[in-house]
Protein backbone atom coordinates (compact mmCIF):
# COMPACT_ATOMS: atom_id res chain seq x y z
CA UNK A 1 0.00 0.00 0.00
CA UNK A 2 1.20 3.48 -0.90
CA UNK A 3 1.55 5.83 2.08
CA UNK A 4 1.94 9.54 1.42
CA UNK A 5 0.78 11.75 4.25
CA UNK A 6 2.66 14.89 3.27
CA UNK A 7 1.50 17.98 1.39
CA UNK A 8 3.40 19.97 -1.23
CA UNK A 9 3.69 23.53 0.08
CA UNK A 10 6.19 26.25 -0.79
CA UNK A 11 8.27 24.03 -3.03
CA UNK A 12 8.77 21.15 -0.62
CA UNK A 13 7.00 18.17 0.90
CA UNK A 14 5.88 19.03 4.43
CA UNK A 15 4.09 17.16 7.20
CA UNK A 16 0.49 18.14 7.92
CA UNK A 17 -0.05 20.35 10.94
CA UNK A 18 -2.90 18.12 12.07
CA UNK A 19 -3.18 14.55 10.81
CA UNK A 20 -6.48 13.07 9.67
CA UNK A 21 -5.64 9.83 7.90
CA UNK A 22 -7.75 8.70 4.97
CA UNK A 23 -7.66 5.42 3.09
CA UNK A 24 -7.85 5.59 -0.70
CA UNK A 25 -9.71 2.52 -1.97
CA UNK A 26 -8.86 0.62 -5.15
CA UNK A 27 -12.34 0.21 -6.70
CA UNK A 28 -11.31 -2.93 -8.58
CA UNK A 29 -10.60 -4.80 -5.35
CA UNK A 30 -12.38 -2.79 -2.63
CA UNK A 31 -9.05 -2.82 -0.76
CA UNK A 32 -7.05 0.21 0.44
CA UNK A 33 -4.34 1.20 -2.01
CA UNK A 34 -3.03 4.30 -0.25
CA UNK A 35 -3.06 6.18 3.03
CA UNK A 36 -3.07 9.96 2.88
CA UNK A 37 -3.72 12.81 5.30
CA UNK A 38 -6.59 15.23 4.91
CA UNK A 39 -5.64 18.85 5.47
CA UNK A 40 -6.86 21.18 8.18
CA UNK A 41 -7.63 24.89 8.05
CA UNK A 42 -4.07 25.50 9.26
CA UNK A 43 -2.62 23.41 6.42
CA UNK A 44 -4.74 25.29 3.90
CA UNK A 45 -3.71 28.64 5.36
CA UNK A 46 -0.04 27.66 5.08
CA UNK A 47 -0.47 26.79 1.40
CA UNK A 48 -2.34 30.04 0.66
CA UNK A 49 0.33 32.01 2.52
CA UNK A 50 3.06 30.40 0.40
CA UNK A 51 1.14 31.16 -2.80
CA UNK A 52 0.54 34.76 -1.72
CA UNK A 53 4.23 35.30 -0.97
CA UNK A 54 5.26 33.84 -4.33
CA UNK A 55 2.72 35.77 -6.40
CA UNK A 56 4.52 39.13 -6.94
CA UNK A 57 7.68 37.60 -8.37
CA UNK A 58 5.82 34.96 -10.42
CA UNK A 59 3.44 37.56 -11.89
CA UNK A 60 6.49 39.67 -12.84
CA UNK A 61 8.24 36.71 -14.48
CA UNK A 62 8.46 37.12 -18.26
CA UNK A 63 5.80 35.09 -20.12
CA UNK A 64 8.51 33.28 -22.06
CA UNK A 65 10.08 32.15 -18.79
CA UNK A 66 6.75 30.90 -17.42
CA UNK A 67 6.31 28.99 -20.66
CA UNK A 68 9.73 27.40 -20.20
CA UNK A 69 8.72 26.01 -16.80
CA UNK A 70 5.55 24.52 -18.24
CA UNK A 71 7.56 22.88 -21.02
CA UNK A 72 9.74 21.37 -18.31
CA UNK A 73 6.63 19.90 -16.63
CA UNK A 74 5.74 18.30 -19.96
CA UNK A 75 9.21 16.79 -20.16
CA UNK A 76 8.74 15.25 -16.70
CA UNK A 77 5.41 13.77 -17.77
CA UNK A 78 6.94 12.31 -20.93
CA UNK A 79 9.53 10.59 -18.73
CA UNK A 80 7.01 9.19 -16.24
CA UNK A 81 3.81 8.69 -18.23
CA UNK A 82 3.51 5.02 -17.28
CA UNK A 83 3.64 5.92 -13.60
CA UNK A 84 0.86 8.43 -14.10
CA UNK A 85 -1.29 5.87 -15.91
CA UNK A 86 -0.79 3.36 -13.09
CA UNK A 87 -1.65 5.92 -10.42
CA UNK A 88 -4.92 6.86 -12.14
CA UNK A 89 -5.81 3.25 -12.81
CA UNK A 90 -5.41 2.14 -9.22
CA UNK A 91 -7.08 5.17 -7.61
CA UNK A 92 -10.26 5.49 -9.71
CA UNK A 93 -10.52 2.29 -11.74
CA UNK A 94 -9.70 3.27 -15.32
CA UNK A 95 -8.40 0.19 -17.19
CA UNK A 96 -4.65 0.53 -17.59
CA UNK A 97 -4.59 0.80 -21.39
CA UNK A 98 -7.33 3.44 -21.33
CA UNK A 99 -5.57 5.16 -18.46
CA UNK A 100 -2.33 5.37 -20.43
CA UNK A 101 -3.86 6.61 -23.69
CA UNK A 102 -6.78 8.76 -22.53
CA UNK A 103 -6.63 9.52 -18.83
CA UNK A 104 -2.90 10.23 -18.52
CA UNK A 105 -2.82 11.35 -22.15
CA UNK A 106 -4.99 14.34 -21.23
CA UNK A 107 -2.00 16.00 -19.61
CA UNK A 108 0.06 15.83 -22.77
CA UNK A 109 -2.82 16.96 -25.01
CA UNK A 110 -3.99 19.93 -22.95
CA UNK A 111 -0.54 21.12 -22.01
CA UNK A 112 0.60 21.27 -25.62
CA UNK A 113 -2.58 23.07 -26.64
CA UNK A 114 -2.09 25.62 -23.87
CA UNK A 115 1.46 26.29 -25.02
CA UNK A 116 0.11 27.11 -28.49
CA UNK A 117 -2.71 29.26 -27.10
CA UNK A 118 -0.31 31.08 -24.78
CA UNK A 119 1.44 32.64 -27.75
CA UNK A 120 -1.86 34.23 -28.80
CA UNK A 121 -2.38 36.15 -25.55
CA UNK A 122 -2.00 39.92 -25.97
CA UNK A 123 -0.81 41.19 -22.62
CA UNK A 124 -1.12 44.82 -23.69
CA UNK A 125 -3.17 45.98 -26.67
CA UNK A 126 -4.86 49.15 -27.99
CA UNK A 127 -8.52 49.56 -27.07
CA UNK A 128 -9.33 50.25 -30.72
CA UNK A 129 -7.98 52.16 -33.69
CA UNK A 130 -10.04 55.30 -33.01
CA UNK A 131 -9.02 55.85 -29.36
CA UNK A 132 -5.32 56.77 -29.20
CA UNK A 133 -3.77 56.53 -25.77
CA UNK A 134 -6.28 53.93 -24.59
CA UNK A 135 -4.93 50.49 -23.84
CA UNK A 136 -6.11 47.26 -22.28
CA UNK A 137 -3.72 45.26 -20.13
CA UNK A 138 -4.18 41.60 -19.14
CA UNK A 139 -2.90 40.78 -15.67
CA UNK A 140 -2.98 37.66 -13.46
CA UNK A 141 -5.79 37.67 -10.93
CA UNK A 142 -3.66 36.50 -7.99
CA UNK A 143 -3.79 33.42 -5.75
CA UNK A 144 -6.25 30.86 -7.09
CA UNK A 145 -7.81 27.84 -5.42
CA UNK A 146 -8.26 24.84 -7.70
CA UNK A 147 -10.62 22.01 -6.74
CA UNK A 148 -10.63 18.97 -9.01
CA UNK A 149 -12.69 15.74 -9.24
CA UNK A 150 -11.85 12.04 -9.34
CA UNK A 151 -13.37 10.99 -12.66
CA UNK A 152 -10.78 12.57 -15.00
CA UNK A 153 -8.13 13.63 -12.49
CA UNK A 154 -5.30 14.72 -14.80
CA UNK A 155 -7.69 16.21 -17.31
CA UNK A 156 -8.96 18.67 -14.73
CA UNK A 157 -5.66 19.29 -12.97
CA UNK A 158 -4.05 20.19 -16.29
CA UNK A 159 -7.00 22.37 -17.37
CA UNK A 160 -6.61 24.42 -14.20
CA UNK A 161 -3.01 24.38 -12.99
CA UNK A 162 -1.31 24.95 -16.34
CA UNK A 163 -3.34 27.99 -17.51
CA UNK A 164 -3.17 29.49 -14.02
CA UNK A 165 0.62 29.24 -14.01
CA UNK A 166 0.92 30.53 -17.57
CA UNK A 167 -1.30 33.49 -16.70
CA UNK A 168 1.05 34.40 -13.84
CA UNK A 169 -1.14 33.18 -10.98
CA UNK A 170 0.02 31.13 -8.03
CA UNK A 171 -2.21 28.28 -6.95
CA UNK A 172 -3.35 25.88 -4.27
CA UNK A 173 -4.72 22.59 -5.59
CA UNK A 174 -7.13 20.40 -3.67
CA UNK A 175 -7.57 17.18 -5.64
CA UNK A 176 -10.38 14.77 -4.85
CA UNK A 177 -9.61 12.67 -1.81
CA UNK A 178 -10.95 9.71 -3.82
CA UNK A 179 -8.16 10.04 -6.42
CA UNK A 180 -5.22 11.99 -4.99
CA UNK A 181 -2.29 9.86 -6.16
CA UNK A 182 -2.10 11.24 -9.69
CA UNK A 183 -2.11 14.81 -8.36
CA UNK A 184 0.68 14.03 -5.92
CA UNK A 185 2.68 12.60 -8.79
CA UNK A 186 1.94 15.79 -10.74
CA UNK A 187 3.37 17.74 -7.80
CA UNK A 188 6.58 15.78 -8.28
CA UNK A 189 6.62 16.83 -11.95
CA UNK A 190 6.27 20.48 -10.91
CA UNK A 191 9.00 20.13 -8.31
CA UNK A 192 11.43 18.36 -10.64
CA UNK A 193 10.73 20.93 -13.35
CA UNK A 194 12.19 23.56 -11.02
CA UNK A 195 9.07 25.70 -10.69
CA UNK A 196 9.80 28.37 -8.03
CA UNK A 197 8.65 27.66 -4.49
CA UNK A 198 5.10 28.70 -3.70
CA UNK A 199 3.87 28.90 -7.28
CA UNK A 200 2.16 25.51 -7.01
CA UNK A 201 0.92 24.04 -3.74
CA UNK A 202 -1.11 20.90 -3.02
CA UNK A 203 -3.18 20.12 0.04
CA UNK A 204 -5.22 16.93 0.16
CA UNK A 205 -8.59 17.24 1.80
CA UNK A 206 -12.33 16.90 1.50
CA UNK A 207 -14.87 19.44 0.37
CA UNK A 208 -16.14 20.27 3.83
CA UNK A 209 -12.63 20.95 5.10
CA UNK A 210 -10.02 22.21 2.63
CA UNK A 211 -12.60 22.95 -0.08
CA UNK A 212 -14.62 25.25 2.17
CA UNK A 213 -11.53 26.94 3.58
CA UNK A 214 -10.18 27.71 0.11
CA UNK A 215 -13.57 28.94 -1.09
CA UNK A 216 -13.89 31.42 1.76
CA UNK A 217 -10.24 32.40 2.25
CA UNK A 218 -9.76 36.19 2.00
CA UNK A 219 -6.37 35.84 0.26
CA UNK A 220 -7.72 33.60 -2.51
CA UNK A 221 -8.87 35.76 -5.43
CA UNK A 222 -10.48 33.00 -7.50
CA UNK A 223 -11.88 29.49 -7.18
CA UNK A 224 -11.98 27.13 -10.15
CA UNK A 225 -14.08 24.08 -9.37
CA UNK A 226 -15.08 20.95 -11.26
CA UNK A 227 -17.57 18.57 -9.70
CA UNK A 228 -21.24 18.19 -8.89
CA UNK A 229 -23.80 20.93 -9.33
CA UNK A 230 -24.70 20.59 -5.64
CA UNK A 231 -21.11 21.24 -4.57
CA UNK A 232 -20.84 24.08 -7.09
CA UNK A 233 -23.72 25.87 -5.41
CA UNK A 234 -22.10 25.45 -1.99
CA UNK A 235 -18.78 26.81 -3.26
CA UNK A 236 -20.47 29.82 -4.85
CA UNK A 237 -22.15 30.65 -1.55
CA UNK A 238 -18.93 30.24 0.42
CA UNK A 239 -17.03 32.45 -2.06
CA UNK A 240 -19.65 35.20 -2.15
CA UNK A 241 -18.60 36.75 1.16
CA UNK A 242 -15.14 37.60 -0.20
CA UNK A 243 -16.42 38.50 -3.69
CA UNK A 244 -13.90 36.24 -5.39
CA UNK A 245 -14.23 35.09 -8.98
CA UNK A 246 -15.75 31.61 -9.27
CA UNK A 247 -15.65 29.40 -12.36
CA UNK A 248 -17.63 26.18 -12.30
CA UNK A 249 -17.58 23.11 -14.53
CA UNK A 250 -20.42 20.94 -13.28
CA UNK A 251 -22.69 18.09 -14.26
CA UNK A 252 -24.48 17.20 -17.47
CA UNK A 253 -27.28 15.17 -19.00
CA UNK A 254 -26.27 15.22 -22.63
CA UNK A 255 -28.84 14.59 -25.35
CA UNK A 256 -27.78 12.69 -28.47
CA UNK A 257 -30.23 13.39 -31.31
CA UNK A 258 -30.14 10.51 -33.82
CA UNK A 259 -32.14 11.14 -36.99
CA UNK A 260 -33.30 8.48 -39.43
CA UNK A 261 -30.65 9.55 -41.94
CA UNK A 262 -27.77 9.19 -39.46
CA UNK A 263 -24.69 7.28 -40.59
CA UNK A 264 -24.59 3.55 -39.94
CA UNK A 265 -22.18 3.87 -37.00
CA UNK A 266 -24.09 6.62 -35.18
CA UNK A 267 -25.92 4.48 -32.63
CA UNK A 268 -22.92 2.32 -31.78
CA UNK A 269 -20.76 5.43 -31.49
CA UNK A 270 -23.21 6.94 -29.04
CA UNK A 271 -23.40 3.82 -26.88
CA UNK A 272 -19.63 3.39 -26.68
CA UNK A 273 -19.18 7.06 -25.87
CA UNK A 274 -21.73 6.70 -23.07
CA UNK A 275 -20.06 3.64 -21.58
CA UNK A 276 -16.50 4.96 -21.84
CA UNK A 277 -14.86 5.61 -18.46
CA UNK A 278 -17.69 3.52 -16.98
CA UNK A 279 -20.10 6.35 -17.72
CA UNK A 280 -18.27 8.68 -15.33
CA UNK A 281 -18.02 11.72 -17.59
CA UNK A 282 -20.06 14.89 -17.24
CA UNK A 283 -20.31 15.22 -21.04
CA UNK A 284 -21.56 11.64 -21.56
CA UNK A 285 -24.42 11.36 -24.13
CA UNK A 286 -26.70 9.73 -21.56
CA UNK A 287 -30.00 10.47 -23.35
CA UNK A 288 -30.33 9.03 -26.86
CA UNK A 289 -33.25 10.57 -28.75
CA UNK A 290 -34.03 8.55 -31.89
CA UNK A 291 -36.31 9.52 -34.77
CA UNK A 292 -39.27 7.12 -34.89
CA UNK A 293 -38.47 5.31 -38.20
CA UNK A 294 -35.06 4.29 -36.83
CA UNK A 295 -36.14 3.68 -33.24
CA UNK A 296 -36.63 -0.10 -33.07
CA UNK A 297 -33.44 -0.79 -34.99
CA UNK A 298 -31.51 1.67 -32.84
CA UNK A 299 -32.71 -0.02 -29.65
CA UNK A 300 -31.51 -3.38 -30.93
CA UNK A 301 -28.13 -1.98 -31.98
CA UNK A 302 -27.70 -0.28 -28.62
CA UNK A 303 -28.54 -3.49 -26.76
CA UNK A 304 -26.12 -5.53 -28.87
CA UNK A 305 -23.31 -3.02 -28.39
CA UNK A 306 -23.85 -2.74 -24.62
CA UNK A 307 -23.94 -6.52 -24.28
CA UNK A 308 -20.65 -6.76 -26.15
CA UNK A 309 -18.83 -4.43 -23.76
CA UNK A 310 -16.81 -6.38 -21.21
CA UNK A 311 -16.24 -5.34 -17.62
CA UNK A 312 -13.12 -6.18 -15.66
CA UNK A 313 -10.34 -5.10 -13.31
CA UNK A 314 -8.46 -1.91 -14.08
CA UNK A 315 -5.15 -3.76 -13.85
CA UNK A 316 -5.96 -5.95 -16.87
CA UNK A 317 -4.97 -4.92 -20.39
CA UNK A 318 -7.70 -4.71 -22.98
CA UNK A 319 -10.61 -2.70 -24.33
CA UNK A 320 -13.00 -3.14 -21.40
CA UNK A 321 -14.53 -0.82 -18.83
CA UNK A 322 -13.53 -0.90 -15.20
CA UNK A 323 -15.40 -0.32 -11.95
CA UNK A 324 -17.00 2.90 -10.81
CA UNK A 325 -15.04 4.84 -8.25
CA UNK A 326 -16.47 3.72 -4.90
CA UNK A 327 -19.23 1.94 -3.03
CA UNK A 328 -21.33 5.07 -2.63
CA UNK A 329 -21.28 5.65 -6.38
CA UNK A 330 -22.10 1.99 -7.08
CA UNK A 331 -25.08 2.04 -4.73
CA UNK A 332 -26.35 5.29 -6.23
CA UNK A 333 -26.20 3.87 -9.75
CA UNK A 334 -27.98 0.71 -8.65
CA UNK A 335 -30.69 2.91 -7.17
CA UNK A 336 -31.14 4.69 -10.49
CA UNK A 337 -31.39 1.40 -12.37
CA UNK A 338 -34.05 0.15 -9.94
CA UNK A 339 -35.87 3.47 -10.27
CA UNK A 340 -35.81 3.22 -14.05
CA UNK A 341 -37.42 -0.22 -13.88
CA UNK A 342 -39.98 0.99 -11.33
CA UNK A 343 -40.98 3.95 -13.52
CA UNK A 344 -41.56 1.78 -16.60
CA UNK A 345 -38.28 1.81 -18.51
CA UNK A 346 -37.57 -1.34 -20.53
CA UNK A 347 -34.17 -2.88 -19.79
CA UNK A 348 -32.70 -4.18 -23.05
CA UNK A 349 -29.13 -4.65 -21.79
CA UNK A 350 -27.53 -4.96 -18.40
CA UNK A 351 -29.60 -4.27 -15.32
CA UNK A 352 -29.04 -4.26 -11.56
CA UNK A 353 -26.31 -6.10 -9.70
CA UNK A 354 -22.73 -7.08 -10.42
CA UNK A 355 -21.70 -8.69 -13.70
CA UNK A 356 -22.03 -12.46 -13.34
CA UNK A 357 -18.30 -13.18 -13.49
CA UNK A 358 -17.36 -10.68 -10.77
CA UNK A 359 -18.15 -10.86 -7.07
CA UNK A 360 -15.86 -8.15 -5.72
CA UNK A 361 -15.25 -4.58 -6.86
CA UNK A 362 -17.59 -1.73 -7.76
CA UNK A 363 -18.56 -3.01 -11.19
CA UNK A 364 -21.75 -1.97 -13.00
CA UNK A 365 -23.29 -3.84 -15.91
CA UNK A 366 -23.49 -1.64 -19.05
CA UNK A 367 -27.21 -0.89 -18.99
CA UNK A 368 -29.58 0.37 -21.68
CA UNK A 369 -33.15 1.46 -21.05
CA UNK A 370 -35.59 1.74 -23.96
CA UNK A 371 -39.03 3.40 -24.04
CA UNK A 372 -37.93 6.07 -21.59
CA UNK A 373 -40.34 8.98 -21.31
CA UNK A 374 -39.50 12.62 -20.61
CA UNK A 375 -39.73 13.30 -16.91
CA UNK A 376 -38.57 9.89 -15.73
CA UNK A 377 -35.87 10.04 -13.07
CA UNK A 378 -33.30 8.36 -15.32
CA UNK A 379 -34.10 10.93 -18.02
CA UNK A 380 -33.80 13.95 -15.70
CA UNK A 381 -30.97 13.23 -13.29
CA UNK A 382 -27.27 12.71 -13.89
CA UNK A 383 -26.52 9.06 -13.07
CA UNK A 384 -22.74 9.15 -13.61
CA UNK A 385 -22.52 5.49 -14.50
CA UNK A 386 -22.83 3.26 -17.60
CA UNK A 387 -26.58 3.72 -17.99
CA UNK A 388 -28.15 4.91 -21.25
CA UNK A 389 -31.76 6.09 -21.68
CA UNK A 390 -33.31 5.82 -25.18
CA UNK A 391 -36.54 7.51 -26.25
CA UNK A 392 -38.26 8.16 -29.60
CA UNK A 393 -39.22 11.46 -31.20
CA UNK A 394 -41.42 12.28 -34.21
CA UNK A 395 -40.23 15.72 -35.29
CA UNK A 396 -37.20 17.94 -35.14
CA UNK A 397 -39.10 20.40 -32.97
CA UNK A 398 -39.98 17.67 -30.46
CA UNK A 399 -36.36 16.50 -30.32
CA UNK A 400 -35.12 20.02 -29.60
CA UNK A 401 -37.74 20.49 -26.90
CA UNK A 402 -36.80 17.25 -25.11
CA UNK A 403 -33.08 17.92 -25.46
CA UNK A 404 -33.36 21.42 -23.98
CA UNK A 405 -35.84 20.46 -21.24
CA UNK A 406 -33.16 19.83 -18.63
CA UNK A 407 -31.46 21.89 -15.92
CA UNK A 408 -28.14 21.01 -17.50
CA UNK A 409 -26.44 22.37 -20.60
CA UNK A 410 -22.99 20.91 -21.13
CA UNK A 411 -22.82 18.92 -24.40
CA UNK A 412 -25.47 18.02 -26.96
CA UNK A 413 -24.89 15.67 -29.88
CA UNK A 414 -26.47 15.51 -33.34
CA UNK A 415 -26.35 12.63 -35.86
CA UNK A 416 -27.73 13.46 -39.31
CA UNK A 417 -26.50 13.70 -42.90
CA UNK A 418 -28.59 16.82 -43.51
CA UNK A 419 -26.09 19.69 -43.39
CA UNK A 420 -28.69 22.44 -43.05
CA UNK A 421 -30.32 20.55 -40.19
CA UNK A 422 -26.98 20.21 -38.41
CA UNK A 423 -26.34 23.94 -38.67
CA UNK A 424 -29.86 24.75 -37.53
CA UNK A 425 -29.75 22.44 -34.53
CA UNK A 426 -26.31 23.57 -33.45
CA UNK A 427 -27.80 27.02 -32.80
CA UNK A 428 -31.08 25.81 -31.25
CA UNK A 429 -29.66 23.37 -28.69
CA UNK A 430 -28.95 25.01 -25.33
CA UNK A 431 -25.52 23.70 -24.42
CA UNK A 432 -21.99 25.01 -24.20
CA UNK A 433 -20.73 22.44 -26.70
CA UNK A 434 -22.35 20.80 -29.73
CA UNK A 435 -20.68 17.78 -31.35
CA UNK A 436 -22.08 16.34 -34.57
CA UNK A 437 -21.57 13.09 -36.47
CA UNK A 438 -18.76 11.98 -34.19
CA UNK A 439 -16.57 14.98 -34.89
CA UNK A 440 -14.77 15.95 -31.68
CA UNK A 441 -13.86 19.48 -30.72
CA UNK A 442 -10.64 20.70 -32.29
CA UNK A 443 -7.40 21.38 -30.48
CA UNK A 444 -7.60 24.80 -28.88
CA UNK A 445 -11.36 24.67 -28.35
CA UNK A 446 -12.78 25.12 -24.86
CA UNK A 447 -14.76 22.78 -22.62
CA UNK A 448 -17.72 24.23 -20.74
CA UNK A 449 -21.47 24.54 -20.47
CA UNK A 450 -24.42 26.71 -19.49
CA UNK A 451 -27.19 26.58 -16.90
CA UNK A 452 -26.65 24.01 -14.11
CA UNK A 453 -23.58 22.69 -15.94
CA UNK A 454 -21.68 25.80 -14.90
CA UNK A 455 -20.18 28.43 -17.17
CA UNK A 456 -16.46 27.73 -17.11
CA UNK A 457 -14.53 27.85 -20.38
CA UNK A 458 -11.56 25.55 -19.90
CA UNK A 459 -8.96 25.02 -22.59
CA UNK A 460 -7.30 27.12 -25.29
CA UNK A 461 -7.09 30.90 -25.07
CA UNK A 462 -10.36 30.99 -23.08
CA UNK A 463 -8.86 28.75 -20.40
CA UNK A 464 -5.91 31.08 -19.85
CA UNK A 465 -8.04 34.23 -19.94
CA UNK A 466 -10.19 32.89 -17.10
CA UNK A 467 -7.20 33.53 -14.83
CA UNK A 468 -6.59 37.07 -16.13
CA UNK A 469 -8.13 40.44 -15.31
CA UNK A 470 -8.47 43.24 -17.83
CA UNK A 471 -7.28 46.72 -16.94
CA UNK A 472 -8.40 49.78 -18.93
CA UNK A 473 -5.67 52.41 -19.31
CA UNK A 474 -6.16 55.94 -20.68
CA UNK A 475 -3.40 58.44 -21.39
CA UNK A 476 -0.91 55.86 -22.58
CA UNK A 477 2.10 57.49 -24.26
CA UNK A 478 3.35 55.91 -27.46
Amino acid sequence: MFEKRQFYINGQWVDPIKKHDYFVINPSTEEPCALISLGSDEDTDAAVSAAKAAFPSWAATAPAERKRYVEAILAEFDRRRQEMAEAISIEMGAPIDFSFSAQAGCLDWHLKNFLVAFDEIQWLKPLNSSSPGNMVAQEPIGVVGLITPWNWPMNQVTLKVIPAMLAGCTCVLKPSEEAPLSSMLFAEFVHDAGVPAGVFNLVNGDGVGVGTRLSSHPDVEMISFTGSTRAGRAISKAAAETLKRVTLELGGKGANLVFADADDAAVERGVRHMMSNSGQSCNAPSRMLVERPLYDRAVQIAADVANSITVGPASEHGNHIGPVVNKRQWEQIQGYIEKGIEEGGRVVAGGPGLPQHLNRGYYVRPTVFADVKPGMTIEREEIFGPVLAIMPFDSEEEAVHIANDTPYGLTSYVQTQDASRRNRLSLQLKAGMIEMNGQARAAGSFFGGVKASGRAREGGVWGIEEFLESKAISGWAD
Side-chain angles (χ1 to χ4, degrees), residues 126-192:
L127 175 64
N128 55 52
S129 59
S130 60
S131 302
N134 283 264
M135 305 292 287
V136 176
Q138 297 267 64
E139 299 180 345
I141 193 169
V143 176
V144 297
L146 311 174
I147 304 175
T148 56
W150 48 261
N151 61 318
W152 285 89
M154 268 307 100
N155 183 70
Q156 293 309 127
V157 167
T158 309
L159 282 172
K160 297 183 190 297
V161 173
I162 297 302
M165 289 176 55
L166 287 171
C169 297
T170 55
C171 53
V172 178
L173 170 67
K174 187 207 85 65
S176 169
E177 67 275 23
E178 301 290 341
L181 306 184
S182 54
S183 292
M184 298 175 83
L185 185 57
F186 179 85
E188 293 183 18
F189 296 171
V190 173
H191 179 83
D192 293 345

Side-chain angles (χ1 to χ4, degrees), residues 274-296:
M274 177 62 238
M275 304 303 172
S276 178
N277 205 42
S278 299
Q280 299 171 123
S281 299
C282 52
N283 64 335
S286 54
R287 295 183 296 152
M288 183 178 287
L289 283 55
V290 183
E291 193 171 14
R292 186 80 63 178
L294 180 61
Y295 181 73
D296 289 341

Side-chain angles (χ1 to χ4, degrees), residues 99-415:
S99 185
F100 184 88
S101 62
Q103 285 276 7
C106 286
L107 192 155
D108 178 80
W109 169 258
H110 291 310
L111 198 151
K112 288 178 178 177
N113 289 336
F114 276 129
L115 290 173
V116 173
F118 188 60
D119 291 336
E120 300 177 27
I121 300 294
Q122 292 183 271
W123 301 98
L124 183 67
K125 62 183 178 181
L127 175 64
N128 55 52
S129 59
S130 60
S131 302
N134 283 264
M135 305 292 287
V136 176
Q138 297 267 64
E139 299 180 345
I141 193 169
V143 176
V144 297
L146 311 174
I147 304 175
T148 56
W150 48 261
N151 61 318
W152 285 89
M154 268 307 100
N155 183 70
Q156 293 309 127
V157 167
T158 309
L159 282 172
K160 297 183 190 297
V161 173
I162 297 302
M165 289 176 55
L166 287 171
C169 297
T170 55
C171 53
V172 178
L173 170 67
K174 187 207 85 65
S176 169
E177 67 275 23
E178 301 290 341
L181 306 184
S182 54
S183 292
M184 298 175 83
L185 185 57
F186 179 85
E188 293 183 18
F189 296 171
V190 173
H191 179 83
D192 293 345
V195 174
V199 172
F200 171 83
N201 307 274
L202 181 150
V203 181
N204 284 314
D206 56 20
V208 174
V210 176
T212 298
R213 184 62 174 170
L214 277 177
S215 301
S216 58
H217 201 293
D219 291 333
V220 174
E221 298 292 338
M222 172 183 171
I223 289 289
S224 177
F225 169 78
T226 298
S228 71
T229 298
R230 174 195 54 77
R233 290 192 181 100
I235 285 170
S236 295
K237 291 176 182 177
E241 188 65 29
T242 51
L243 302 176
K244 54 175 55 65
R245 181 185 295 176
V246 178
T247 61
L248 304 173
E249 200 282 283
L250 307 174
K253 192 68 178 177
N256 185 6
L257 280 58
V258 183
F259 287 85
D261 68 342
D263 65 87
D264 292 341
V267 174
E268 177 175 355
R269 184 169 62 239
V271 175
R272 293 194 182 280
H273 189 175
M274 177 62 238
M275 304 303 172
S276 178
N277 205 42
S278 299
Q280 299 171 123
S281 299
C282 52
N283 64 335
S286 54
R287 295 183 296 152
M288 183 178 287
L289 283 55
V290 183
E291 193 171 14
R292 186 80 63 178
L294 180 61
Y295 181 73
D296 289 341
R297 181 164 167 259
V299 168
Q300 186 60 58
I301 293 171
D304 291 344
V305 172
N307 285 326
S308 74
I309 295 173
T310 56
V311 183
S315 58
E316 293 182 358
H317 293 280
N319 187 27
H320 59 286
I321 65 172
V324 296
V325 71
N326 56 31
K327 183 178 181 180
R328 182 181 67 252
Q329 190 74 11
W330 187 89
E331 290 176 343
Q332 179 172 293
I333 295 166
Q334 296 303 311
Y336 276 117
I337 293 173
E338 296 287 359
K339 191 71 172 177
I341 295 170
E342 176 186 320
E343 293 183 353
R346 176 165 59 100
V347 178
V348 297
L354 289 167
Q356 289 185 350
H357 64 292
L358 296 165
N359 59 14
R360 189 169 180 82
Y362 305 123
Y363 300 98
V364 177
R365 300 167 67 192
T367 298
V368 176
F369 280 94
D371 305 342
V372 174
K373 293 180 173 58
M376 285 184 176
T377 302
I378 58 171
E379 190 270 337
R380 297 293 294 174
E381 298 184 16
E382 185 179 37
I383 298 173
F384 227 59
V387 181
L388 173 65
I390 307 181
M391 64 196 80
F393 67 85
D394 292 300
S395 68
E396 183 178 314
E397 292 73 22
E398 181 187 11
V400 171
H401 174 75
I402 295 172
N404 288 341
D405 185 22
T406 172
Y408 298 104
L410 190 57
T411 312
S412 289
Y413 302 83
V414 176
Q415 320 297 329

Side-chain angles (χ1 to χ4, degrees), residues 7 18 20-22 36-40 43 177 204-206:
F7 305 146
K18 295 180 180 179
H20 178 191
D21 289 341
Y22 182 88
I36 64 169
S37 288
L38 302 184
S40 62
D43 296 313
E177 67 275 23
N204 284 314
D206 56 20

